[in-house]
Amino acid sequence: MTDQPQQTVSVEFTIGVGDGQIVASANVPVGATNLTQILPVLQSMEDSMISGMGVQLAEAGHPISCRAGCGACCRQMVPLSIFEAEALAAWIRTLDEPRRQELARRFHQALLSLSASGLIDRMVNEDWLADTESARQLALDYLYQRVACPFLEDESCSIHPIRPLVCREYLVISPPAHCFDPAALQVIPAHPPLHLSRVLNRMGAELEGDARGWIPLLFLFAWMEAGASPGNGYAGTGPEVLHKFLEHIGEAQIPARTAARNAD
Ligand code: SF4
């Protein structure tokens, strides 16, 4: 039996951003789905917003300086929403055994490196989320360990089409070299009109009743062992699930309490 492609329906919507509005549309499944399953729709929304931002910045004389082959920011702690963790876990399970084992080895090695510096203990303890300065310090300490994301290959993202929203949102207009030493050199972020990653984090926090709703990306292999399906916490037809996501956007415009990668 072959899988039939799901029928989709186009949903038009308006998102308030600052004093303005973004009018957009998205194709979502007509039938039953959940938040994890509509992630490609959210990725597409994010890419459109960021592309528009890039054009505006270039026209203003401040082009985005991020380029393929620069993986400086891929040594930061990546706050991965639990819904994206679920999607990446499902993708990892489709990989052939050698590839899956190689990824498992890289994740394990990265955790060992961080553990040796005491950072794992600090990350598990949520005290560092308590204030901006603690979050900033942990983000810097993490970066200066120079532990690369296990998905980074030849300084490029090996999962580029399915990379987390927060990775899509992290863009700068300062020289790329500054990202290697942000404590000493000024990094000027480009601010997307919305951080859709924060919307997912809020929905994850709401679902789990905890403070963050995300995991450090390096915890992915450990997290996937539990076989959690958080996407089912927001289930319904495609339009219903998209509506639930859009409902959370307003709250997401409040600056995130942390998210080291979004520290700006
Ligand atoms: S997922 Fe990709 S873009 Fe994100 S930190 Fe890892 S290598 Fe970099």
Side-chain angles (χ1 to χ4, degrees):
M1 197 170 80
T2 54
D3 285 341
Q4 295 294 321
Q6 252 197 321
Q7 272 195 319
T8 60
V9 59
S10 178
V11 178
E12 293 190 7
F13 53 90
T14 303
I15 308 171
V17 180
D19 295 332
Q21 287 186 330
I22 294 176
V23 180
S25 66
N27 288 327
V28 292
V30 172
T33 189
N34 69 35
L35 186 56
T36 297
Q37 288 165 355
I38 69 157
L39 281 176
V41 174
L42 309 182
Q43 290 164 350
S44 177
M45 279 169 58
E46 183 90 273
D47 290 347
S48 297
M49 275 194 297
I50 286 173
S51 163
M53 176 186 75
V55 170
Q56 283 181 0
L57 284 169
E59 285 174 357
H62 305 295
I64 290 170
S65 48
C66 305
R67 295 285 176 272
C70 174
C73 63
C74 299
R75 289 165 175 82
Q76 298 184 26
M77 179 166 60
V78 177
L80 179 69
S81 74
I82 54 176
F83 310 103
E84 291 167 298
E86 182 184 3
L88 282 175
W91 172 77
I92 287 168
R93 290 190 193 100
T94 68
L95 300 176
D96 59 36
E97 193 56 24
R99 176 68 177 155
R100 193 161 55 238
Q101 281 186 8
E102 168 58 15
L103 277 176
R105 187 195 63 75
R106 288 188 205 166
F107 272 82
H108 183 66
Q109 191 56 49
L111 286 173
L112 282 181
S113 301
L114 283 182
S115 179
S117 66
L119 269 164
I120 298 285
D121 288 343
R122 287 172 62 195
M123 286 157 68
V124 170
N125 182 332
E126 291 195 353
D127 284 357
W128 67 274
L129 287 158
D131 59 83
T132 306
E133 187 45 40
S134 302
R136 182 180 139 75
Q137 192 56 55
L138 187 128
L140 285 175
D141 293 345
Y142 187 111
L143 173 68
Y144 286 113
Q145 292 300 315
R146 307 296 188 200
V147 175
C149 171
F151 292 124
L152 189 68
E153 292 178 0
D154 298 328
E155 295 303 307
S156 290
C157 180
S158 64
I159 59 164
H160 197 262
I162 57 170
R163 70 197 187 286
L165 293 182
V166 73
C167 299
R168 295 164 202 254
E169 294 164 356
Y170 191 88
L171 297 161
V172 300
I173 58 174
S174 43
H178 288 206
C179 294
F180 285 95
D181 194 4
L185 302 166
Q186 189 185 22
V187 175
I188 307 174
H191 293 283
L194 284 171
H195 289 86
L196 296 188
S197 66
R198 294 179 186 174
V199 185
L200 289 181
N201 293 345
R202 279 185 179 277
M203 295 177 82
E206 186 178 292
L207 191 67
E208 302 221 313
D210 73 7
R212 38 184 154 180
W214 55 267
I215 58 167
L217 183 142
L218 281 191
F219 292 1
L220 176 60
F221 267 74
W223 183 89
M224 64 191 273
E225 279 175 19
S229 309
N232 286 335
Y234 296 97
T237 65
E240 286 169 348
V241 176
L242 180 63
H243 185 67
K244 285 174 189 167
F245 179 81
L246 296 173
E247 276 179 344
H248 285 77
I249 284 184
E251 299 167 48
Q253 293 180 66
I254 301 164
R257 187 165 58 140
T258 183
R261 200 175 169 84
N262 284 343
D264 45 33

